[in-house]
């Protein structure tokens, strides 16, 4: 019944080719139209499991602080004044959206319905702008005495009290010079004269200045390098800084504003650059997106060119392209319906589906041309080609879909979404070839019949025995004459695997994030300007800290203590330099401040006009400068300058729940192992009373990506291999047949792993996808050769002569699908291309060399007699 159904479908396609093609094109137009709604989300958090604790905590934190990602604009020129004037002009322009946002907030507060609220205008993308430290300097200058220690103030008070008593003659100065003696034996004061001393506040004043400098580290009032060569402004956005659309919009708006200001009018040599979370994430995003587009275009051009050259026919491109385009459209339409968006990894499926999907129409077209070249009528050749290739095509589609589908069982969204789209795309390519390929062949043949001879395809040619070319004949001859020599490659690969793989498998993961991002960005883009931002800020003003949140302000001291305790227990050494909290910028607790104010009051009372009058003019001027004002009062977090307070404030106005973990200067954030240690130290802190505080930061999010990859990667690989094994056993119908096909597959995959180990190619969140996919795509090739040999009654050499060309072409297209990524600027994508290409080459070499040699040896021993009688899935046709 199945044979009759397939034959009837092929015959119908031959009778009504334009109807079939028209329906396919209409369906594709609808699918692509629907898929055009698909949103591309390149935020790194879209790769994480949605139920990841770190992800959920980071999402909650982003909402509580309304984003908080930074955009740093740096003006660089030899003229400090020009840099400062440019920053002032930019600051003034940036304040306009903030004034609009304040008006919008007032408008929203007065609205009672959605219509009114929508009329209030769009929200500002900026939370606030930090232009410098002038307000901070003014605040600390007015309150500087409160930042001295209680003990230091008490010592100063005692020193002043003693000095006043000495001056009034109430007590004798035992250190005074005795009458008739001179200090040090020469010079000094006159005999009997009282010793002249200034007020003893020098030590207190020096310590106070040291503490104030620690808080206010920019003496010019601007964020600048000491020489003024670079001056910066910091924009704190409402974005989380993970590559989202609002961040890109903000960067575009600021870039346009800088362009309108024209930096060259401030100084001819002025350059303006952008650093911080936002431009770095967007640079990586643009690198990935542009590479995805170019990869798809380049792969398509090279694949189509190779197909046309192989068949010596540009018309063959239509036969190959239609089913492939249909499968790709179905895959992306499915993604639109299921997800509504595609993440970074899924963006590259275009090139990969094109490279893999063309395999099925290639095999079918090759069978048809083979039968036609051997004299079969067109109608019969179409029907027999479909029936003959059906099992190989079905198994190929199944194992490819399984390879993609194995990724869907993982929690890592970077894998699962990619796998789901690929699974649907591969199956739909296979499902469309039965009606589309025969219909397209008939339509093209009818068109060519009306064209001049020079526009028609040359007739397909094969040798008398069916070989498509000299390469196929050479492979058949080598594997038949010297099978044992060819099989000797297997022990070599196994020896290399036993030597290299154990150490590699212990730690195969890529922890150096510097080897995963955009090379050009690091050399001349946002990455280079981020290095300059480090020069400006140098870890000052909490810029180097990872922001985290507690549930309440009261928890923060305990969390700080626990994080420092966790860090001290790290067996590899300490990572944390400090944990910056709101308490670090306050002059103490309210009780301590009241105690200081009391002491300062006594000091002020002691410095009466009479005491000041007794001082020398120089000492009097200094004492007046240091005399505490009467306006001193207890400072609360809400009294701090905006520049300081906002860094510790949530959206709802609660101050003190935000804190920053500041890491040591020599700690690299590009080292994934450091990120894992940071996550262990700072993530999900358990306080001494048992309270569990869920904390998160950018390092903990990236650490979760590593953990997810380490957990889900082996799971996807094992699932892919086991499922492929099941399909192969069922399709071959014998254990020996399955053994031969799987041996070739495993050898190819093992050779790929050995190459990765020898070249020290580490596994990352992108290139890992190539491993489970290789099991599926790589299994198509040996099964095609095996199935053709089965159809020929066990004639392995003839099977290789007839199938080597199509199999090699299939591998060529797949290699190009991956190989276009080899030249990518993004290093993670680049490594993905290299790993996938290596796997393809190893698997096709194993299918065309190792498998035929193995089949020759096993056939001579009689081990494959049952395998040649037909598999369980499909009996096939009588033609081969």
């Amino acid at each position: 019944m199945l044979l009759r159904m397939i034959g009837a479908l092929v015959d119908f396609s031959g009778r009504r080719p334009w109807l079939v093609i028209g329906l396919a094109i209409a369906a594709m137009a609808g699918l692509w139209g629907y898929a055009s709604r698909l949103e591309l989300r390149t935020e790194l958090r879209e790769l994480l499991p949605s139920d990841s604790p770190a992800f959920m905590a980071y999402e909650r934190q982003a909402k509580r602080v309304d984003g908080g990602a930074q955009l740093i604009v740096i003006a660089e020129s030899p003229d400090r004044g020009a840099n400062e004037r440019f920053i002032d002009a930019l600051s003034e322009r940036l304040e306009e959206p903030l004034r609009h946002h304040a008006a919008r907030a007032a408008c929203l507060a007065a609205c009672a319905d959605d219509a009114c609220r929508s009329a209030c205008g769009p929200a500002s993308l900026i939370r606030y702008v930090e232009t410098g430290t002038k307000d901070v300097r003014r605040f600390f200058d007015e309150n500087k005495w409160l930042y001295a220690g209680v003990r230091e103030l008490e010592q100063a008070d005692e020193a002043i009290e003693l000095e006043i008593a000495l001056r009034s003659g109430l007590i004798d100065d035992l250190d005074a010079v005795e009458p008739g003696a001179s200090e040090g034996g020469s010079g000094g004061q006159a005999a009997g004269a009282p010793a002249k001393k200034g007020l003893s506040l020098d030590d207190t004043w020096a310590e106070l200045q040291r503490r104030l400098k620690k808080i206010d580290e920019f003496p010019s009032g601007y964020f600048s390098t000491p020489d003024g060569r670079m001056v910066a402004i910091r924009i704190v956005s409402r974005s989380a800084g993970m590559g989202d659309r609002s961040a890109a919009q903000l960067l575009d708006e600021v870039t346009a504003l800088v362009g309108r200001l024209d930096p060259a009018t401030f100084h001819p040599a002025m350059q303006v650059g952008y650093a911080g979370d936002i431009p770095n994430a967007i640079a990586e995003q643009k690198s990935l997106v542009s590479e995805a587009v170019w990869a798809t275009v380049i792969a398509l051009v090279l694949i189509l060119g190779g197909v046309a050259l192989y068949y010596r026919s540009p018309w063959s491109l239509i036969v190959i392209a239609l089913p492939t385009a249909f499968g790709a459209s179905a895959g992306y339409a499915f993604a639109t319906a299921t997800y509504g968006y595609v993440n970074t990894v899924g963006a590259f499926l275009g090139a990969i589906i094109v490279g893999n999907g063309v395999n099925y129409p290639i095999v079918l077209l090759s069978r048809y041309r083979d039968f036609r070249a051997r004299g079969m009528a067109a109608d019969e050749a179409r029907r027999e080609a479909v029936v003959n290739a059906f099992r190989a095509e079905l198994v190929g589609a199944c194992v490819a879909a399984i390879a993609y589908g194995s990724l869907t069982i993982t929690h890592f969204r970077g894998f699962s979404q990619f796998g789901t789209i690929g699974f649907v795309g591969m199956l739909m390519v296979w499902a469309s070839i039965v009606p589309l390929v025969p219909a397209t062949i008939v339509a093209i043949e009818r068109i060519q019949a009306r064209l001049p001879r020079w526009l028609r395809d040359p007739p397909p040619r094969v040798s008398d025995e069916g070989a498509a070319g000299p390469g196929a004949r050479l492979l058949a001859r080598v594997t038949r004459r010297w099978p044992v020599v060819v099989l000797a490659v297997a022990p070599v690969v196994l020896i290399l695997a036993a030597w290299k793989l154990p150490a590699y498998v212990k730690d195969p993961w890529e922890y150096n994030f510097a080897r995963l991002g955009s090379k050009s960005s690091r050399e001349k883009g946002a990455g280079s300007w981020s290095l300059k931002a480090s020069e400006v800020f140098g870890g000052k003003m909490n810029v180097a800290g990872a922001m985290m949140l507690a549930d309440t302000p009261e928890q923060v001291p305990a969390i700080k203590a626990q994080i420092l305790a966790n860090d001290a227990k790290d067996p590899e050494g300490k990572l944390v330099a400090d944990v910056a909290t709101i308490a670090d910028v306050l002059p103490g607790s309210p009780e301590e401040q009241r105690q200081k104010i009391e002491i300062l009051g006594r000091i002020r009372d002691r410095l009466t006009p009479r005491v000041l009058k007794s001082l020398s003019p120089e000492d009097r001027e200094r004492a007046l400068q240091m005399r505490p004002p009467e306006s001193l009062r207890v400072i609360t977090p809400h009294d701090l300058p905006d520049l300081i307070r906002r860094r510790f404030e949530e959206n709802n106005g609660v101050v003190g729940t935000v804190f920053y973990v500041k890491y040591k200067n020599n700690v690299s954030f590009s080292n994934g192992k450091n990120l894992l240690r940071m996550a262990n130290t700072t993530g999900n802190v358990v306080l001494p009373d048992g309270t569990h505080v869920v904390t998160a930061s950018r390092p903990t999010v990236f650490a979760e990506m590593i953990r997810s990859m380490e957990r889900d990667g082996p799971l996807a690989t094992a699932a892919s291999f086991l499922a492929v094994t099941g399909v192969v056993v069922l399709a071959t119908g014998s254990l020996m047949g399955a053994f031969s096909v799987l041996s070739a597959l495993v050898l190819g995959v093992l050779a790929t792993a050995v190459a990765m180990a020898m070249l020290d190619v580490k596994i990352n969140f992108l290139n890992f996808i190539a491993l489970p996919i290789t099991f599926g795509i790589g299994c198509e090739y040996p099964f095609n050769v095996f199935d053709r040999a089965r159809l020929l009654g066990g004639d392995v050499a003839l099977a290789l002569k007839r199938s080597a060309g199509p199999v090699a072409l299939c591998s060529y297209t797949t290699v190009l699908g991956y190989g276009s990524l080899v030249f990518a600027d993004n290093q993670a994508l680049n490594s993905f291309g290299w790993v996938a290409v290596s796997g393809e080459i190893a698997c096709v070499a194993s299918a065309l060399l190792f498998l035929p040699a193995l089949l020759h040896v096993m056939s001579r021993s009689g081990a494959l007699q049952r395998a040649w009688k037909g598999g369980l899935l499909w009996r096939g046709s009588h033609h081969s």
Side-chain angles (χ1 to χ4, degrees):
M1 184 182 295
L2 184 57
L3 277 171
R4 288 195 298 271
M5 290 175 60
I6 293 175
L9 181 57
V10 173
D11 291 341
F12 175 80
S13 299
R15 290 192 305 269
R16 299 284 189 272
W18 294 112
L19 175 62
V20 173
I21 294 172
L23 290 173
I25 292 175
M28 275 193 292
L31 290 171
W32 281 119
Y34 180 69
S36 65
R37 310 179 198 174
L38 192 66
E39 179 186 354
L40 176 60
R41 295 183 185 175
T42 53
E43 300 98 310
L44 289 175
R45 57 184 174 178
E46 290 296 340
L47 302 179
L48 284 171
S50 56
D51 58 351
S52 158
F55 173 77
M56 292 188 292
Y58 192 83
E59 289 283 277
R60 287 195 300 269
Q61 176 173 299
K63 291 177 182 177
R64 289 172 62 186
V65 296
D66 198 10
Q70 297 178 11
L71 169 58
I72 299 172
V73 184
I74 303 171
E76 181 179 17
S77 82
D79 186 343
R80 175 194 287 272
N83 296 337
E84 292 178 352
R85 287 193 299 275
F86 173 81
I87 291 298
D88 289 339
L90 180 60
S91 303
E92 185 178 349
R93 298 288 185 89
L94 289 171
E95 292 295 334
E96 294 177 10
L98 295 179
R99 288 191 289 269
H100 164 77
H101 188 72
R104 180 178 183 272
C107 174
L108 290 173
C111 284
D113 54 56
D114 291 339
C116 173
R117 281 187 284 270
S118 63
C120 292
S124 171
L125 300 173
I126 300 174
R127 281 186 64 199
Y128 54 86
V129 179
E130 296 177 350
T131 60
T133 60
K134 298 181 183 68
D135 292 341
V136 175
R137 293 183 64 79
R138 188 181 308 111
F139 170 83
F140 285 126
D141 185 62
E142 293 171 354
N143 297 280
K144 56 182 174 287
W145 276 107
L146 288 176
Y147 284 87
V150 172
R151 181 57 186 155
E152 293 160 353
L153 292 177
E154 288 177 340
Q155 290 174 343
D157 183 39
E158 293 170 0
I160 292 172
E161 181 183 23
L162 175 62
E163 185 64 26
I164 292 173
L166 289 171
R167 288 177 179 276
S168 64
L170 295 176
I171 60 173
D172 293 328
D173 186 358
L174 299 180
D175 294 328
V177 180
E178 292 294 333
S182 63
E183 187 175 354
S186 64
Q189 298 181 9
K196 294 288 186 181
K197 297 182 180 179
L199 297 178
S200 303
L201 297 176
D202 292 347
D203 294 340
T204 302
W205 184 255
E207 177 62 20
L208 183 58
Q209 294 303 312
R210 186 189 68 79
R211 292 189 181 186
L212 293 178
K213 186 177 180 180
K214 184 179 179 181
I215 299 173
D216 178 20
E217 299 164 299
F218 296 97
S220 69
Y222 290 88
F223 299 132
S224 67
T225 53
D227 59 2
R229 179 175 52 87
M230 290 187 287
V231 181
I233 185 173
R234 189 161 58 217
I235 303 168
V236 180
S237 74
R238 300 184 186 279
S239 162
M242 300 287 275
D244 51 281
R245 186 173 297 176
S246 63
Q249 183 181 346
L250 174 60
L251 180 59
D252 289 342
E253 291 181 0
V254 173
T255 303
L257 177 56
V258 169
R260 289 194 295 271
L261 285 174
D262 191 5
T265 60
F266 292 84
H267 193 281
M270 182 176 290
Q271 292 183 332
V272 177
Y274 308 93
D277 309 324
I278 290 175
N280 280 312
I282 291 173
E284 297 296 339
Q285 167 190 333
K286 288 183 177 179
S287 171
L288 287 171
V289 173
S290 63
E291 298 298 344
V293 173
W294 277 109
T296 303
V297 172
I298 293 172
L300 186 62
V301 170
L302 293 177
I303 287 168
L304 295 179
V307 169
L309 185 63
Y310 177 81
Y311 290 118
R312 296 178 299 145
S313 164
W315 295 96
S316 63
L317 301 180
I318 302 174
V319 181
I320 301 300
L322 274 178
T324 307
F326 184 85
S329 65
Y332 280 114
F334 177 83
T336 305
T338 306
Y339 306 110
Y341 70 96
V342 65
N343 59 37
T344 302
V345 180
F348 307 107
L349 266 173
I352 295 171
I353 287 179
V354 169
N356 293 349
V358 295
N359 291 1
Y360 312 130
I362 281 175
V363 170
L364 193 52
L365 178 60
S366 297
R367 295 284 172 100
Y368 171 75
R369 290 171 64 89
D370 186 6
F371 289 152
R372 288 287 286 154
R374 287 188 275 147
M376 191 178 291
D379 290 350
E380 185 182 4
R382 288 195 302 272
R383 189 183 309 108
E384 289 301 319
V386 172
V387 174
N388 180 273
F390 189 83
R391 178 164 58 179
E393 299 278 48
L394 176 59
V395 170
C398 286
V399 294
I402 284 169
Y404 285 106
S406 66
L407 300 172
T408 65
I409 66 175
T410 68
H411 295 287
F412 189 69
R413 284 188 289 176
F415 292 167
S416 60
Q417 192 184 90
F418 180 96
T420 301
I421 301 171
F423 176 85
V424 173
M426 290 298 102
L427 285 183
M428 293 308 295
V429 172
W430 170 80
S432 67
I433 62 173
V434 174
L436 264 181
V437 170
T440 311
I441 288 173
V442 172
I444 290 173
E445 287 176 346
R446 291 180 180 178
I447 292 173
Q448 288 186 354
R450 297 182 175 90
L451 295 176
R453 183 177 298 276
W454 62 274
L455 288 176
R456 302 177 194 174
D457 282 344
R461 296 194 304 264
V462 293
S463 65
D464 294 339
E465 56 189 356
R473 289 193 292 271
L474 177 62
L475 286 172
R477 186 166 59 251
V478 169
T479 54
R480 184 181 67 248
R481 290 186 179 180
W482 301 290
V484 176
V485 175
V486 175
L487 291 179
V489 71
V492 174
V493 172
L494 291 174
I495 290 171
L496 289 173
W499 172 37
K500 281 290 186 181
L501 287 185
Y504 180 79
V505 170
K506 286 182 181 178
D507 190 18
W509 310 105
E510 178 62 83
Y511 294 106
N512 185 358
F513 279 29
R515 294 172 60 179
L516 301 181
S518 167
K519 290 179 287 187
S520 61
S521 171
R522 187 174 67 251
E523 294 168 359
K524 58 184 179 181
S528 65
W529 282 101
S530 292
L531 294 176
K532 294 183 178 183
S534 298
E535 282 188 62
V536 174
F537 292 100
K540 305 170 186 176
M541 300 302 296
N542 299 311
V543 170
M547 183 179 69
M548 296 186 180
L549 276 80
D551 296 331
T552 64
E554 291 73 24
Q555 288 178 337
V556 171
I559 293 175
K560 175 177 180 177
Q562 189 60 52
I563 287 176
L564 294 175
N566 293 344
D567 186 53
K569 295 175 184 176
D570 189 333
E572 298 184 46
K574 294 183 178 181
L575 291 171
V576 179
D578 191 15
V579 178
T581 71
I582 191 72
D584 297 326
V585 291
L586 287 171
S589 66
E591 180 58 37
E592 288 176 320
Q593 292 187 60
R594 281 190 283 270
Q595 189 176 356
K596 291 179 184 180
I597 290 172
E598 181 181 348
I599 299 170
L600 291 168
R602 293 201 301 268
I603 292 176
R604 184 175 57 251
D605 292 342
R606 296 188 196 284
L607 295 176
T608 62
R610 180 170 174 270
V611 170
L612 293 172
K613 187 177 180 180
S614 68
L615 299 176
S616 66
E618 180 182 348
D619 288 342
R620 185 184 309 116
E621 182 179 352
R622 187 172 182 185
L624 287 171
Q625 182 185 12
M626 295 189 299
R627 187 173 186 266
E630 297 183 9
S631 59
L632 290 176
R633 59 184 179 83
V634 174
I635 296 174
T636 67
H638 291 280
D639 297 322
L640 293 169
D642 289 345
L643 180 65
I644 300 295
R645 187 197 70 252
R646 286 184 302 208
R647 304 195 67 76
F648 300 94
E649 186 175 27
E650 293 188 48
N651 290 338
N652 58 7
V654 174
V655 181
T657 51
V658 181
F659 61 95
Y660 297 85
V661 179
K662 302 178 74 172
Y663 296 97
K664 293 183 176 180
N665 290 335
N666 61 347
V667 173
S668 171
F669 283 76
S670 297
N671 187 331
K673 293 183 178 180
N674 284 347
L675 298 180
L676 290 171
R677 292 169 60 197
M678 292 173 187
N680 292 333
T681 298
T682 65
N684 302 321
V685 177
V686 180
L687 302 181
D689 62 0
T691 303
H692 187 91
V693 183
V694 181
T695 56
S697 64
R698 292 174 67 87
T700 62
V701 169
F702 286 113
E704 186 64 22
M705 286 181 63
I706 297 172
R707 290 196 189 107
S708 182
M709 183 175 64
E710 291 176 344
R711 179 182 63 250
D712 290 342
L715 176 65
T717 304
S720 176
F721 179 69
L722 291 175
V724 165
T725 299
V727 171
V728 170
V729 170
L730 184 62
T732 56
S734 74
L735 292 178
M736 296 307 295
F739 170 78
S740 62
V741 173
L742 292 173
S743 294
L745 172 63
V746 170
L747 183 67
V749 174
L750 198 60
T752 305
V754 168
M756 292 176 65
M758 296 186 72
L759 298 174
D760 195 31
V761 177
K762 296 294 188 180
I763 299 174
N764 59 57
F765 68 94
L766 267 182
N767 69 19
F768 180 82
I769 298 173
L771 298 179
I773 289 178
T774 297
F775 279 115
I777 307 302
C779 187
E780 290 183 40
Y781 310 137
F783 186 83
N784 256 291
V785 175
F786 174 86
D787 193 58
R788 198 67 182 272
R790 183 197 62 79
L791 292 171
L792 288 164
D795 191 337
V796 178
L798 185 56
L800 191 58
K801 291 174 184 178
R802 293 183 178 179
S803 61
V807 166
L809 181 60
C810 289
S811 180
Y812 164 81
T813 60
T814 305
V815 164
L816 287 177
Y818 292 131
S820 57
L821 309 179
V822 167
F823 304 100
D825 174 63
N826 184 274
Q827 297 173 89
L829 190 56
N830 181 279
S831 69
F832 178 26
W834 279 115
V835 173
V837 167
S838 301
E840 273 296 309
I841 294 174
C843 286
V844 76
S846 181
L848 297 180
L849 285 169
F850 175 82
L851 177 64
L854 180 62
L855 292 178
H856 278 300
V857 172
M858 294 176 70
S859 293
R860 293 171 187 173
S861 67
L864 286 173
Q865 293 307 311
R866 183 170 179 268
W868 299 139
K869 295 179 181 179
L872 300 179
L873 284 178
W874 187 253
R875 291 194 179 277
S877 72
H878 299 292
H879 301 278
S880 56

